[in-house]
Amino acid sequence: MSTGWIVLGVIVVLAFLAFGAYNRLVALSQRVGQAFADIDVQLKQRHDLIPNLVETVKGYAAHERGTLDDVVKARNTALSAQGPAQVSAAEAQLSGALGRLIALSEAYPDLKANANFQQLQSELSDIENKLAASRRFFNNAVQEYNTGIQQMPAVLFAGMLGFTRKDFFDLGENRVQMDQAPAVKF
C-alpha cells in the first residue's frame, strides 16, 4: 500500500512540475511576442516617416533619384517582411538606404538648413533610439525563453508541448551601425 502512495506522490510531483514548466514557458513565449510587437510599432512609425523624408529630400535633390528609389524600395521590402529573421534583414537594408539619404544633406546646404528636414531627421533619430531599446528587450526576452526551454524540468516537456527555439533579432553586418543612433547635425 505504501508503494502505491509513493508512486502516486511521484506522479503528482511530476504533474505539478509539468504544469509549472508549461505555464512558465507560455509566459516567456508571450513576452517574446509582446517584445516583437513593440519592435513592430517602432518600425511602423519609422516606415510612416520615410515618405515625408523622401519628399523633403526630393525637393532639394531631385537628381539623386537612385538614392530616393533605393529608400522607397527598401521601405516596401521592409513593410512586407514577416518574422524576426526577414524583418531584421529588410530593416538592415532600409537602414543602409536611409543612411545614404541622410548623407545627401551634407551635399545640399539648403536641405540641411530646411526646418522640415531637421524635424524629420530628429524624429528619425528618436525612433532609431527607441528601436535599439526595443531590439535589446526582444533579444533579452528570446534569450530568457530559449534558456527556459533548455532548463530542467522544462526541457523534459518543452519539445512535446510545441515549444521550439526562437531566433534573435539579428542585424548581421549592420549591427555596429544600428547600435549607434544616427547623428543629427545642424
Side-chain angles (χ1 to χ4, degrees), residues 10-127:
V10 169
I11 291 172
V12 167
V13 168
L14 288 176
F16 277 120
L17 286 174
F19 286 129
Y22 177 78
N23 288 337
R24 181 170 183 272
L25 292 178
V26 166
L28 290 172
S29 179
Q30 291 296 319
R31 186 168 179 226
V32 169
Q34 182 257 330
F36 190 73
D38 289 348
I39 290 175
D40 200 39
V41 167
Q42 299 301 325
L43 292 176
K44 171 111 174 71
Q45 289 178 346
R46 182 185 191 200
H47 297 158
D48 290 347
L49 180 67
I50 290 170
N52 295 333
L53 193 59
V54 168
E55 286 302 316
T56 301
V57 171
K58 195 183 290 185
Y60 288 88
H63 62 282
E64 300 283 356
R65 196 76 179 143
T67 302
L68 298 173
D69 288 343
D70 288 347
V71 171
V72 170
K73 196 180 308 177
R75 176 185 180 264
N76 292 339
T77 301
L79 284 172
S80 64
Q82 299 291 319
Q86 280 187 353
V87 169
S88 62
E91 290 302 323
Q93 273 187 319
L94 180 57
S95 294
L98 279 174
R100 290 188 297 278
L101 180 70
I102 297 299
L104 283 179
S105 68
E106 297 299 320
Y108 297 92
D110 291 342
L111 172 62
K112 190 174 181 179
N114 180 286
N116 190 34
F117 181 75
Q118 289 176 355
Q119 178 189 1
L120 292 170
Q121 195 174 21
S122 177
E123 286 178 36
L124 181 63
S125 179
D126 183 49
I127 289 171

Side-chain angles (χ1 to χ4, degrees), residues 150-173:
Q150 295 172 352
Q151 290 178 329
M152 287 297 280
V155 71
L156 301 173
F157 311 104
M160 292 184 292
L161 298 173
F163 293 99
T164 58
R165 185 170 173 74
K166 296 201 185 278
D167 294 329
F168 290 97
F169 198 97
D170 186 18
L171 298 173
E173 297 172 4

